[in-house]
Amino acid sequence: MSGILKYANIEEMLPNLPKVLLNTIQSDVLEIKSLDKTCGKYMDACKKTPELDNADFVVYSKYMDKANHKYEKFIFLAKDGSEVCDVSGQNMELYGLLACTSLSFSQAYEASLVKT
């Protein structure tokens, strides 16, 4: 996906997103998803890590397989893209916490998906 930006509206939706995260998300190295704040797993996670109550998004590696999950670090972001906290994969699993995101794919990214 060299040179193709993944999301069309990420900078408008998340104006405080750190540049290094913006670049790795846009180049499809890392993934960003919204959190499902209505699920019980999220509420339990907030009890263990109270900062998560302020998080709306999580950034993670979509290339990490379950066997190596414990070596990953999840970066949680507020509604404006600012960092809230990070949590080790040893202390948390994302399965069941993720929801669709309101970010829009760019036309170039969508076109590249059709070609593959």
Side-chain angles (χ1 to χ4, degrees), residues 29-47:
V29 172
L30 294 178
E31 185 61 76
I32 185 169
K33 291 285 185 191
S34 295
L35 295 170
D36 180 358
K37 293 184 145 193
T38 62
C39 74
K41 190 171 181 180
Y42 173 79
M43 293 174 202
D44 290 342
C46 286
K47 290 177 188 171

Side-chain angles (χ1 to χ4, degrees), residues 21 30 57-60 73-77 83 85-87:
L21 289 179
L30 294 178
F57 298 93
V58 62
V59 177
Y60 62 96
K73 184 138 328 231
F74 308 119
I75 302 168
F76 291 88
L77 306 172
E83 271 188 66
C85 66
D86 60 65
V87 178

Side-chain angles (χ1 to χ4, degrees), residues 88-102:
S88 168
Q90 269 185 315
N91 300 326
M92 171 186 276
E93 287 187 0
L94 291 181
Y95 307 105
L97 289 175
L98 304 179
C100 293
T101 183
S102 57

Side-chain angles (χ1 to χ4, degrees), residues 2 4-5 9 11 23 30 33 37 57 59 67 74 78 80 89 111-112 114-116:
S2 179
I4 296 175
L5 299 179
N9 64 339
E11 291 183 79
N23 293 337
L30 294 178
K33 291 285 185 191
K37 293 184 145 193
F57 298 93
V59 177
F74 308 119
D80 66 356
S112 73
V114 173
K115 292 178 186 176
T116 57

Side-chain angles (χ1 to χ4, degrees), residues 5-64:
L5 299 179
K6 185 171 183 176
Y7 293 106
N9 64 339
I10 192 168
E11 291 183 79
E12 294 82 32
M13 296 283 294
L14 305 172
N16 294 325
L17 183 64
K19 290 293 181 200
V20 68
L21 289 179
L22 172 66
N23 293 337
T24 53
I25 292 166
Q26 285 289 56
S27 63
D28 209 22
V29 172
L30 294 178
E31 185 61 76
I32 185 169
K33 291 285 185 191
S34 295
L35 295 170
D36 180 358
K37 293 184 145 193
T38 62
C39 74
K41 190 171 181 180
Y42 173 79
M43 293 174 202
D44 290 342
C46 286
K47 290 177 188 171
K48 294 178 187 172
T49 310
E51 298 93 348
L52 290 179
D53 193 40
N54 299 319
D56 287 280
F57 298 93
V58 62
V59 177
Y60 62 96
S61 172
K62 66 182 185 179
Y63 300 107
M64 188 72 69

